[in-house]
């Protein structure tokens, strides 16, 4: 297995650089490049430019590694390591000028298939706050040098986060899911970036997170952050086009799973 600390350092370095570019382009003004699955599912020129930067840096540093990016697709690995990248997670926030967006970079052992990969290293950069969440398998998760740990006690109820898909037809079902989980909650947040949601669970800023329909690049890095912070991440309905992901401390993860996975 590749040196996870080297992979973590590389992911961190590139995430910082990519985060700086994303923030610079935001300040210069953002232009819509295209829409994808629905009119609400947008991609900006910055998304594409940031992914080109990330992909070229990785290619230069580790030729032969595989790649899966939200905007430029995939390439198989000849080294056993694959990079799973969301150049700007929280694209709608980014386009509106809201600060809750992130650069998410993960290195996995195996192909870019969450059902079979082993996450090795992760970096999630929050450019506006200047925060960098990182993890390496078996080495813990960190925020700017401070070790992270999930919350394990929720005496006043859990602070939960979730998200909704770009297809309005899925909103009723997602709201029904929220209703099923709310008896566990003290309150609910909808941040708009899965990578930040997962980073915040790892940092104890959220108690738990659940969302249907995430893509591998949305959660590849954040899931390792949660696991390396003592949390549990699971997915079910993985054969469907909208698998459910749940991330929390072990006890809360079990309580959410009992309510949702049935
Ligand atoms: C987003 C996720 C978010 C989800 C959005 C969207 P994108 O990713 O981070 O949690 O609710 O629907 O999928 O599209 O900004 O990379």
């Amino acid at each position: 297995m590749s040196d996870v600390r080297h992979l973590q350092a590389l992911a961190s370095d590139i995430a910082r650089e990519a985060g700086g570019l994303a923030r610079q382009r935001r300040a210069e003004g953002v232009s819509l490049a295209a829409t994808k699955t629905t009119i609400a599912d947008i991609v900006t020129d910055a998304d594409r430019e940031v992914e080109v930067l990330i992909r070229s840096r990785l290619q230069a540093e580790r030729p032969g590694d595989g790649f899966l990016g939200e905007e430029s697709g995939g390439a198989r690995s000849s080294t056993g390591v694959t990079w799973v990248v969301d150049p700007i997670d929280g694209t709608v926030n980014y386009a509106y000028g809201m600060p809750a967006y992130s650069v998410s970079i993960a290195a996995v052992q195996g192909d870019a298939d969450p059902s079979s990969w082993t996450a090795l290293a992760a970096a999630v950069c929050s450019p506006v706050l200047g925060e960098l969440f990182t993890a390496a398998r078996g080495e813990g998760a960190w925020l700017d040098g401070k070790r992270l740990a999930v919350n394990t006690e929720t005496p006043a109820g859990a602070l939960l986060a979730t998200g909704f898909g770009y297809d309005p037809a899925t909103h009723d079902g997602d709201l029904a899911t929220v209703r099923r989980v709310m008896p566990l909650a003290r309150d609910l947040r909808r941040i708009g970036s899965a990578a930040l949601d997962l980073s915040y669970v790892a940092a104890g800023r959220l108690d738990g997170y659940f969302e249907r329909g995430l893509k591998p690049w949305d959660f590849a890095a954040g899931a390792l952050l949660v696991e390396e912070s003592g949390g549990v991440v699971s997915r079910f309905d993985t054969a469907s086009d909208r698998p459910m992901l749940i991330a929390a401390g072990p006890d809360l993860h079990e309580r959410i799973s009992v309510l949702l996975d049935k």
Side-chain angles (χ1 to χ4, degrees):
M1 188 175 290
S2 299
D3 175 4
V4 294
R5 289 184 182 179
H6 164 73
L7 296 173
Q8 178 188 19
L10 181 58
S12 300
D13 181 47
I14 295 174
R16 280 194 193 90
E17 183 180 357
L21 176 60
R23 189 171 185 188
Q24 177 188 336
R25 291 293 182 258
R26 178 57 265 184
E28 293 166 352
V30 167
S31 53
L32 186 62
T35 59
K36 296 188 284 190
T37 58
T38 70
I39 190 173
D41 186 1
I42 61 172
V43 56
T44 71
D45 290 327
D47 287 273
R48 291 175 171 171
E49 184 182 3
V50 170
E51 185 161 317
V52 165
L53 180 150
I54 295 168
R55 192 163 189 170
S56 58
R57 279 287 313 273
L58 289 170
Q59 179 63 29
E61 299 281 346
R62 293 181 55 89
D65 282 3
F67 185 89
L68 174 64
E70 180 172 13
E71 310 309 339
S72 63
R76 290 189 67 84
S77 175
S78 60
T79 64
V81 173
T82 300
W83 295 88
V84 185
V85 171
D86 192 338
I88 299 177
D89 186 53
T91 298
V92 174
N93 286 347
Y94 184 76
Y96 274 73
M98 291 180 68
Y101 63 89
S102 60
V103 175
S104 180
I105 301 175
V108 302
Q109 188 77 32
D111 294 329
D113 177 352
S115 65
S116 60
W117 76 39
T118 300
L120 301 175
V124 174
C125 174
S126 174
V128 176
L129 292 179
E131 293 184 324
L132 182 69
F133 300 84
T134 66
R137 186 167 206 84
E139 303 282 335
W142 308 82
L143 168 58
D144 300 336
K146 175 177 175 291
R147 186 75 181 256
L148 301 179
V150 298
N151 286 342
T152 55
E153 303 293 332
T154 58
L159 185 59
L160 299 177
T162 192
F164 302 95
Y166 290 118
D167 178 357
T170 65
H171 290 171
D172 276 352
D174 290 345
L175 287 170
T177 298
V178 169
R179 276 195 295 274
R180 285 164 61 183
V181 180
M182 281 311 282
L184 297 178
R186 68 184 298 168
D187 205 342
L188 187 72
R189 299 288 183 268
R190 200 295 192 234
I191 293 170
S193 164
L196 288 183
D197 289 316
L198 290 163
S199 298
Y200 292 175
V201 170
R205 295 177 179 174
L206 287 170
D207 294 311
Y209 167 63
F210 60 95
E211 183 167 352
R212 275 196 184 279
L214 296 178
K215 305 298 185 196
W217 46 77
D218 291 322
F219 64 83
L224 182 62
L225 288 166
V226 172
E227 291 169 347
E228 286 297 320
S229 301
V232 177
V233 181
S234 66
R235 297 172 71 236
F236 65 83
D237 289 345
T238 52
S240 76
D241 62 347
R242 298 190 76 235
M244 172 67 81
L245 180 143
I246 301 170
D251 172 66
L252 179 59
H253 177 275
E254 176 62 21
R255 287 187 285 140
I256 295 173
S257 299
V258 165
L259 290 175
L260 293 188
D261 186 4
K262 57 186 179 186

